[in-house]
Amino acid sequence: MSTQNLIIFDTTMRDGEQSPGASMTKDEKLRIARALERMRVDVIEAGFPASSNGDFEAVRAIANAIKDSTVAGLCRANDKDIQRGIDALTGAKSWRIHTFIATSPLHMEKKLRMSPAEVLEQAKLSVRYARNACPDVEFSPEDGSRSEIDFLCRVIEAVIKEGATTINIPDTVGYAVPQQFGDLIRGLREKIPNSDKAVWSVHCHNDLGMAVANSLAAVMIGGARQIECTVNGLGERAGNTSLEEVVMAVRTRSDYFGLETRLDTTQIVPASRLVSQITGFVVQPNKAVVGANAFAHASGIHQDGVLKARATYEIMTAEDVGWATNKIVLGKLSGRTAFKQRLKEIGIELDNEEAYNKAFQRFKDLADKKTEIFDDDLLALVAQEAGVSSEEHWRLVHMNQASGMGERPHAHVVLAEEGKEMTADAQGDGPVDATFKAIEHLAKSESELLLYSVNAVTQGTESQGEVTVRLAKGGRIVNGVGADTDIVVASAKAYINALNKLASKMERLNPQHQL
Ligand code: KIV
Ligand code: ZN
């Protein structure tokens, strides 16, 4: 069987960002883009340039920075949106305009209020406009899996004539089932006379838990050669096709699929960690490939088997997907050069020397408390710097709290607001609650706490706790992260990190919710 190439199109920063609370700043997007480039993802959909100025700037920055992947921008099927996309992407080494319009009866009638003839015309004009500026144009008939096949064929044939180079069929609402979806793609390719002039792609949502299965069926039955997916399966509602699952399925079962990707799979876990830290979406422990337990053999029988021969219970290795990179890297005596070098090796570039100095100071503080520092500790450390301007509005100066069985917890915090120190005390239902109440007493942010989650960064009781706090205020949603060996301190740091993001106005409304 000859092996064919499968194109991996990552939409973590576009469709993934559509998850409530997952909006990312420009700097965060740049960090994710670099991680995806290191993973050798073929196409990175960086955002939706017409949705907001912030997203336009983020797409532009990514287009300028990324050299080894194609950078794509999503545009609705109108000249204005497409021109924004062109403006954001021009100058990239390799770029793609991705334009879409809904083709299902329901979406055309109720959402677009357009007739099928108008939709067909709009699709043609948009692809023509995009092709005049860019040789690489992708067209998606939104809600494709619920569209009428004859109409879909007419639209797709027409846009290929206009020069669309990739045709992407979305299962927008996660309605498809594998055999049927595979048959749909095959049927379209057979019926449309010029179908061989484009690469066929699929884009699945996971509402019924079948996004990966549907994508792989489209590949095997339908002949699709591009899969759109997101790291950790991040995305609207139940998420999108998970990148790591698709890539490792194709690689592990190459005997069956006869396909290969160009990805460096050892970068999967680092990218998963980064996306989780930036968005605050914790990966479930039993998640395939990137979950903390994905390679943990707990039962005696399994452990015995794996010790005798790994293949008894392991179909892929933890090293294959990058778990092994999380080794002990630094300790108390490590210097600034070693610290900076290791950050570089795991793909972290900070903006300036001041940021390195601050991160190094945090590292030294951590090394005083924890003998072994892992890559994940470093990621947690710099995550706290990201997304906040160098002038922090709020700074945690000191805190302590008291709690015990049968006692009402009490917290005392000292914060500095733009350098001016102030103190507050509060009681709460637990030490974290008391601490947040004391901070809020000073900050008076009146924000709503949407999420509080605690995660152990590494294994063992000396692990740092990494806390994510999601706050909402006036339509803006921000994620704060904080890490410390003391989880109440980590919680305070995360809360203050989120307050600083609210104060710095760097975080945006999720751009795609503004449309
Ligand atoms: O789910 C969807 O239909 C999309 C398209 C814009 C590709 O995200
Ligand atoms: Zn989608």
Side-chain angles (χ1 to χ4, degrees):
M1 177 167 62
S2 70
T3 307
Q4 291 188 16
N5 187 40
L6 177 68
I7 299 167
I8 299 297
F9 177 116
D10 177 276
T11 182
T12 307
M13 292 185 287
R14 198 280 297 169
D15 218 338
E17 201 196 25
Q18 284 176 223
S19 279
S23 75
M24 303 160 198
T25 63
K26 181 172 104 181
D27 287 350
E28 288 166 343
K29 280 195 162 191
L30 260 171
R31 289 174 63 204
I32 293 178
R34 290 201 178 100
L36 295 172
E37 185 185 37
R38 269 195 306 284
M39 211 195 319
R40 308 199 67 230
V41 160
D42 299 277
V43 187
I44 299 173
E45 189 162 56
F48 196 156
S51 64
S52 71
N53 289 339
D55 218 34
F56 177 90
E57 291 303 336
V59 174
R60 189 151 70 169
I62 292 168
N64 288 330
I66 297 300
K67 304 290 171 223
D68 192 33
S69 306
T70 297
V71 182
L74 184 74
C75 313
R76 283 169 297 190
N78 64 63
D79 295 359
K80 214 167 143 222
D81 260 39
I82 295 172
Q83 190 55 50
R84 273 307 261 173
I86 294 167
D87 292 344
L89 291 161
T90 305
K93 189 154 177 237
S94 169
W95 55 291
R96 173 180 297 184
I97 293 290
H98 177 192
T99 186
F100 75 101
I101 190 163
T103 50
S104 66
L106 190 63
H107 278 226
M108 288 191 290
E109 190 194 324
K110 303 283 182 211
K111 186 181 84 171
L112 298 176
R113 296 182 202 284
M114 285 168 79
S115 69
E118 286 168 330
V119 166
L120 173 64
E121 191 56 20
Q122 196 63 39
K124 278 166 46 181
L125 291 176
S126 307
V127 171
R128 192 181 303 163
Y129 190 91
R131 256 322 286 262
N132 275 333
C134 178
D136 188 349
V137 175
E138 173 170 329
F139 174 79
S140 293
E142 191 190 6
D143 207 16
S145 58
R146 293 193 300 169
S147 300
E148 281 168 0
I149 185 105
D150 288 343
F151 180 60
L152 207 48
C153 287
R154 279 172 55 213
V155 173
I156 294 172
E157 183 180 350
V159 295
I160 295 177
K161 264 196 199 130
E162 295 292 345
T165 44
T166 299
I167 297 297
N168 175 52
I169 307 298
D171 179 29
T172 304
V173 290
Y175 182 72
V177 289
Q179 180 74 42
Q180 189 191 33
F181 194 58
D183 287 342
L184 170 70
I185 307 299
R186 190 178 55 196
L188 290 170
R189 289 182 59 233
E190 281 170 3
K191 284 196 181 86
I192 297 171
N194 54 2
S195 66
D196 60 332
K197 303 270 181 306
V199 172
W200 285 73
S201 166
V202 285
H203 172 111
C204 297
H205 281 265
N206 204 31
D207 299 66
L208 293 173
M210 290 188 282
V212 169
N214 285 334
S215 303
L216 293 174
V219 164
M220 285 309 281
I221 303 167
R225 287 295 174 264
Q226 173 177 288
I227 290 182
E228 300 200 353
C229 46
T230 58
V231 174
N232 300 339
L234 191 72
E236 288 244 48
R237 307 181 307 275
N240 287 55
T241 301
S242 138
L243 177 147
E244 56 279 1
E245 292 177 21
V246 156
V247 169
M248 290 316 290
V250 165
R251 181 177 146 143
T252 308
R253 295 304 311 273
S254 59
D255 60 317
Y256 177 75
F257 289 106
L259 291 168
E260 62 184 8
T261 71
R262 64 165 207 148
L263 267 68
D264 175 357
T265 59
T266 63
Q267 296 299 321
I268 285 178
V269 168
S272 158
R273 290 297 179 91
L274 183 65
V275 169
S276 168
Q277 268 167 340
I278 284 176
T279 59
F281 280 63
V282 175
V283 175
Q284 74 192 57
N286 58 334
K287 167 87 174 63
V289 185
V290 293
N293 287 352
F295 294 88
H297 298 277
S299 92
I301 295 174
H302 286 202
Q303 283 175 348
D304 181 52
V306 169
L307 286 174
K308 287 177 178 146
R310 284 182 86 158
T312 49
Y313 287 100
E314 264 185 15
I315 55 167
M316 54 190 163
T317 70
E319 293 80 16
D320 287 343
V321 297
W323 281 104
T325 58
N326 188 31
K327 48 185 185 267
I328 304 165
V329 285
L330 300 167
K332 204 178 162 104
L333 299 177
S334 306
R336 192 177 179 284
T337 312
F339 171 73
K340 206 172 161 184
Q341 175 62 24
R342 189 60 201 160
L343 287 186
K344 196 169 168 217
E345 281 163 14
I346 57 173
I348 296 172
E349 278 173 44
L350 300 182
D351 287 344
N352 48 45
E353 285 309 305
E354 195 199 330
Y356 279 108
N357 289 341
K358 276 171 84 178
F360 185 61
Q361 189 50 52
R362 282 186 199 266
F363 160 73
K364 281 286 173 189
D365 293 346
L366 179 61
D368 277 340
K369 296 185 225 158
K370 194 171 184 284
T371 41
E372 297 167 332
I373 310 275
F374 297 83
D375 285 343
D376 281 343
D377 288 314
L378 296 183
L379 277 175
L381 204 94
V382 296
Q384 298 169 79
E385 303 289 339
V388 182
S389 63
S390 54
E391 291 305 312
E392 287 175 354
H393 189 88
W394 296 102
R395 190 169 57 81
L396 179 63
V397 180
H398 177 71
M399 63 172 281
N400 54 43
Q401 39 77 32
S403 61
M405 272 176 81
E407 284 171 27
R408 186 142 168 84
H410 172 265
H412 173 76
V413 296
V414 184
L415 295 190
E417 183 183 17
E418 294 182 323
K420 191 166 156 268
E421 287 191 13
M422 49 187 82
T423 61
D425 288 77
Q427 292 194 332
D429 289 340
V432 173
D433 187 49
T435 304
F436 283 9
K437 283 192 169 119
I439 294 173
E440 191 53 34
H441 183 77
L442 296 172
K444 298 185 178 45
S445 77
E446 289 171 13
S447 53
E448 186 190 351
L449 180 69
L450 296 185
L451 173 105
Y452 169 74
S453 84
V454 189
N455 212 13
V457 172
T458 52
Q459 287 173 349
T461 49
E462 72 153 32
S463 165
Q464 292 194 89
E466 184 176 60
V467 174
T468 303
V469 165
R470 185 172 301 150
L471 298 180
K473 186 179 179 189
R476 294 175 69 214
I477 298 177
V478 296
N479 284 318
V481 283
D484 200 281
T485 47
D486 178 330
I487 60 163
V488 186
V489 175
S491 304
K493 286 180 178 175
Y495 199 93
I496 290 166
N497 185 239
L499 290 178
N500 279 328
K501 286 185 174 182
L502 279 178
S504 73
K505 310 241 183 289
M506 285 172 72
E507 199 94 354
R508 301 157 276 117
L509 264 178
N510 187 317
Q512 291 148 59
H513 293 164
Q514 289 173 298
L515 293 171

